[in-house]
């Protein structure tokens, strides 16, 4: 099933069940709207004048988007058929931008159930089209990696229903904040010389994220795209070695020395990538596994359906790097959560926690600074600015996390000042954000339990009152032992941290910068 048309055997099974082109008054559903592609796609659809319904397990993550006021944001979970029934009500086209890369051990089975649920909900609602973004790779060639094999299987499941499906298959997506872009950037910038497996000679056809978005929008309601698998790629076919060499040229770096060796296991490669780049090893591993498969376009039928002048690989790098420098990164790979609690689980402030074990370090203070200034100062923490106190301990903690396959501290932050619900912030994620009042971060490091760091700010006379809470919900004996082990360090971190934030807010709110984006390298 590489690519097909209305009569070829490679077309989706739904090809003969084509639905009429829907009325533009029907909303378009975007499942996976909080992800790297999903957030950007919603904006593109809005710009095209489409009515959009953005679906997310945690709708609060989309509240800060520029398009939030003109888009219907609904809660929905592809593993919860009841929520899908509500999300699909009255929908025309539906985008499926969900995949469990970096998920738990049963991720393939969960992807099957999720795709089947989505397919059936679309049919029950009378939707007109399902559009899915999958991965390139020849089913008839060498055995596919588990990641690509699952991508293709999801496409078949979505197509095996009453609603015609359009599957776009892409290889490496190049754009500011994409996982592939960040992996390449850090490998090239950090390592003047590297030892790599044979996969560096595998051919790939990278594509700019803006071209991916244009194709996703272009096939919506397009009769010639219904019931088809369409391969998409940029104009260049390169090996991964060539991609790294061009990246170095674009950044003005010296030519990188790349030495290949016949044996280097995917597990070792992913841990190596995890140490050098911001990507945790459980995300790097499926990406590394897929690099052994050649991913190039064999049938460029998409060019007849959505004619377009495509960016070259070099041009896409230049655009992405310029956006990074100008702080115009709209979405990043870190927008998608790899692990973590279900959004339906209780928060630390919920009464459902009564009777549970919740350990904490609570600090309170007052400030002469106005609430909005103190809150803005707090929201500027992390990234290249660091965590105000105990920087060496933060570095050590980040390094230890990466050594066991965690995310460490290198994710940084999307923007030096702006935060929104769902943003990654070093090894935390913004779980709750209320302007000038509440910021709650949830830890995504590897822990024997769940941890949060929270600030609440309120007016107090002519100034502010602030409460800082470090909370930990231990899992078993290991969790309690962990808390006891790190408690001594809390005494030299959390109280000075709050005092420093208050001091900075009272002096005008100008946070210092560490100047070291790789703070977890001890």
């Amino acid at each position: 099933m590489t690519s097909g048309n209305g009569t070829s055997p490679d077309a989706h099974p739904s090809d003969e069940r084509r639905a009429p082109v829907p009325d533009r008054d029907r909303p378009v559903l975007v499942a996976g709207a909080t992800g790297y592609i999903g957030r950007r796609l919603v904006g593109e659809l809005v710009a095209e004048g489409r009515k959009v319904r953005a679906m997310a397990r945690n709708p609060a993550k989309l509240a800060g988007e520029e398009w939030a006021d003109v888009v219907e944001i609904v809660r929905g979970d592809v593993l919860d058929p009841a929520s899908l029934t509500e999300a699909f009500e009255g929908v025309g086209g539906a985008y499926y931008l969900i995949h469990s890369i970096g998920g738990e051990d049963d991720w393939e089975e969960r992807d099957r159930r999720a795709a089947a649920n989505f397919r059936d909900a679309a049919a029950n609602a009378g939707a007109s089209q399902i559009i899915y973004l999958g991965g390139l790779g020849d089913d008839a060639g060498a055995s596919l990696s588990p990641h690509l094999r699952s991508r293709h299987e999801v496409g078949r499941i979505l197509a095996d229903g009453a609603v015609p499906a359009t599957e776009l298959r892409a290889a490496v997506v190049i754009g500011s904040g994409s996982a592939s872009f960040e992996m390449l950037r850090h490998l090239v910038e950090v390592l003047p010389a590297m030892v790599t497996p044979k996969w560096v000679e595998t051919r790939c056809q990278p594509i700019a994220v803006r071209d991916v978005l244009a194709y996703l929008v272009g096939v919506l309601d397009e009769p010639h795209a219904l019931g088809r698998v369409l391969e998409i790629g940029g104009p260049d076919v390169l090996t991964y070695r060539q991609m790294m060499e061009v990246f170095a040229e674009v950044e003005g770096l010296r030519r990188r020395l790349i030495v290949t060796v016949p044996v280097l296991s995917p597990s070792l490669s992913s841990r190596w990538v995890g140490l050098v780049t911001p990507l945790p090893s459980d995300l790097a591993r499926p990406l590394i596994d897929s690099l052994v498969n050649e991913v190039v376009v064999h049938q460029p039928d998409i060019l007849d359906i959505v004619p377009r002048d495509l960016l070259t690989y070099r041009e896409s790098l230049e655009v992405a790097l310029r956006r990074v420098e100008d702080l115009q990164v709209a979405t990043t790979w870190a927008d998608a959560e790899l692990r973590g609690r279900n959004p339906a689980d209780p928060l630390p402030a919920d009464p459902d926690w009564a009777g549970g074990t919740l350990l904490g370090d609570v600090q309170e203070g007052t400030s002469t600074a106005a609430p909005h200034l103190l809150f803005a100062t707090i929201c500027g923490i992390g990234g290249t600015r660091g965590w105000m106190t105990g920087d060496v301990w933060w570095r050590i903690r980040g390094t230890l996390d990466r050594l066991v396959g965690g995310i460490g501290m290198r994710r940084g932050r999307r923007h030096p000042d702006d935060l929104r619900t769902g943003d990654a912030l070093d090894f935390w994620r913004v779980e709750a954000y209320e302007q000038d009042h509440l910021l709650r971060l949830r830890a995504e490091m590897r822990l024997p339990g769940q941890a949060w760091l929270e600030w609440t700010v309120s007016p107090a006379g002519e100034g502010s009152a602030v409460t800082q809470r470090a909370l930990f919900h231990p899992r078993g004996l290991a969790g309690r032992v962990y808390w006891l082990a790190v408690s001594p360090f809390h005494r030299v971190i959390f109280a000075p941290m709050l005092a420093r934030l208050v001091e900075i807010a009272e002096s005008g709110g100008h946070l210092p910068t560490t100047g070291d984006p790789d703070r977890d390298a001890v």
Side-chain angles (χ1 to χ4, degrees):
M1 189 175 65
T2 54
S3 180
N5 53 42
T7 60
S8 81
D10 293 327
H12 270 320
S14 59
D15 182 60
E16 297 179 359
R17 297 187 293 276
R18 291 185 174 179
V21 175
D23 193 314
R24 287 178 65 92
D25 288 338
R26 299 173 71 185
V28 177
L29 178 68
V30 178
T34 59
Y36 176 75
I37 294 292
R39 288 181 191 266
R40 299 188 184 209
L41 177 62
V42 172
E44 294 294 320
L45 291 169
V46 169
E48 288 287 318
R50 303 301 299 245
K51 292 183 177 180
V52 182
R53 182 177 297 166
M55 188 183 90
R57 290 195 304 163
N58 183 3
K61 289 185 178 182
L62 301 176
E65 294 295 327
E66 293 182 357
W67 38 256
D69 292 340
V70 296
V71 167
E72 183 185 1
I73 300 174
V74 299
R75 182 194 173 277
D77 186 341
V78 289
L79 294 175
D80 177 10
S83 69
L84 286 179
T85 298
E86 297 180 12
F88 263 100
E89 186 176 354
V91 160
Y95 288 91
Y96 189 84
L97 304 174
I98 295 171
H99 192 66
S100 301
I101 183 170
E104 289 84 1
D105 292 340
D106 64 342
W107 62 274
E108 290 177 284
E109 175 56 32
R110 288 190 295 110
D111 271 359
R112 295 185 192 101
R113 288 192 288 114
N117 290 342
F118 194 85
R119 174 200 65 200
D120 295 344
N124 292 336
S128 57
Q129 182 184 16
I130 295 174
I131 301 173
Y132 167 59
L133 180 61
L136 275 172
D138 188 356
D139 290 301
S143 58
L144 293 175
S145 70
H147 170 57
L148 287 177
R149 185 174 63 244
S150 176
R151 286 285 180 112
H152 290 197
E153 182 181 26
V154 166
R156 289 192 292 269
I157 292 172
L158 292 171
D160 189 22
V163 179
T166 301
E167 179 181 353
L168 300 183
R169 290 185 175 178
V172 172
V173 177
I174 300 297
S176 56
S178 76
S180 300
F181 172 80
E182 291 300 328
M183 184 169 74
L184 282 168
R185 181 161 75 97
H186 281 78
L187 287 175
V188 171
E189 290 180 348
V190 174
L191 300 175
M194 61 189 86
V195 177
T196 66
K198 292 184 294 184
W199 54 252
V200 294
E201 306 300 344
T202 303
R203 295 198 310 159
C204 172
Q205 193 161 348
I207 183 171
V209 65
R210 64 172 58 183
D211 292 326
V212 173
L213 294 170
Y215 282 142
L216 284 169
V217 174
V219 297
L220 178 63
D221 298 346
E222 171 53 57
H224 294 93
L226 296 176
R228 299 182 66 176
V229 180
L230 297 167
E231 300 176 331
I232 62 175
D236 302 311
V237 176
L238 305 164
T239 66
Y240 290 103
R241 178 196 293 273
Q242 292 171 323
M243 290 173 64
M244 288 188 280
E245 290 173 345
V246 173
F247 208 121
E249 290 177 13
V250 171
E251 285 218 79
L253 302 172
R254 292 182 179 179
R255 185 180 180 88
R256 272 25 198 166
L257 176 62
I258 302 174
V259 179
T260 61
V261 293
V263 179
L264 190 59
S265 71
S267 177
L268 184 58
S269 297
S270 62
R271 290 188 178 276
W272 169 62
V273 169
L275 287 172
V276 176
T277 78
L279 278 67
S281 59
D282 54 0
L283 173 57
R285 175 61 187 268
L287 293 177
I288 293 294
D289 285 343
S290 300
L291 297 182
V292 301
N293 295 119
E294 182 173 280
V295 281
V296 299
V297 173
H298 295 293
Q299 298 187 43
D301 299 350
I302 187 68
L303 297 177
D304 296 326
I305 299 172
V306 185
R308 180 171 176 78
D309 292 328
L310 301 169
L311 289 183
T312 66
Y313 173 65
R314 183 181 294 271
E315 290 170 339
S316 66
L317 290 180
E318 291 170 346
V319 171
L321 288 168
R322 188 163 59 247
R323 288 191 174 277
V324 171
E325 292 171 359
D326 294 342
L327 302 178
Q328 295 180 343
V329 181
T331 61
T332 77
W333 63 271
D335 290 334
E337 299 185 45
L338 304 182
R339 296 182 306 277
R341 66 178 194 84
N342 190 305
D345 289 347
L347 297 176
D350 289 344
D352 293 352
W353 280 82
T357 301
L358 191 62
L359 308 173
D361 179 285
V362 180
Q363 305 290 332
E364 296 181 331
T366 59
S367 172
T368 59
H372 74 276
L373 182 57
L374 177 56
F375 187 79
T377 302
I378 292 169
C379 287
I381 202 169
T384 57
R385 290 169 175 154
W387 292 81
M388 304 298 106
T389 58
D391 198 49
V392 65
W393 301 116
W394 291 99
R395 292 182 184 183
I396 291 173
R397 185 63 184 88
T399 300
L400 291 175
D401 193 52
R402 294 187 74 83
L403 288 175
V404 297
I407 56 179
M409 295 282 281
R410 279 202 182 96
R411 285 195 307 190
R413 50 184 295 158
R414 177 182 55 85
H415 189 279
D417 300 307
D418 177 57
L419 280 182
R420 64 191 181 195
T421 303
D423 269 1
L425 180 54
D426 292 333
F427 51 45
W428 305 90
R429 186 173 297 276
V430 180
E431 184 168 79
Y433 177 91
E434 297 177 18
Q435 182 69 43
D436 297 337
H437 174 60
L438 170 68
L439 174 64
R440 182 190 299 128
L441 309 178
R442 173 168 50 86
E444 291 192 329
M445 66 193 88
R446 293 188 182 272
L447 288 169
Q450 296 172 308
W452 295 264
L453 184 57
E454 177 187 87
W455 292 269
T456 54
V457 177
S458 58
E462 297 183 356
S464 310
V466 57
T467 299
Q468 174 184 283
R469 299 196 300 165
L471 302 171
F472 185 65
H473 180 54
R475 184 172 60 246
L477 178 60
R480 288 158 176 80
V481 171
Y482 171 83
W483 180 261
L484 291 174
V486 299
S487 290
F489 301 101
H490 291 172
R491 298 189 184 98
V492 296
I493 291 177
F494 290 127
M497 174 193 290
L498 182 60
R500 181 64 175 142
L501 288 169
V502 169
E503 177 187 350
I504 292 171
E506 291 178 345
S507 64
H510 300 295
L511 286 160
T513 300
T514 68
D516 179 11
D518 294 329
R519 295 175 316 286
D520 64 340
V522 177

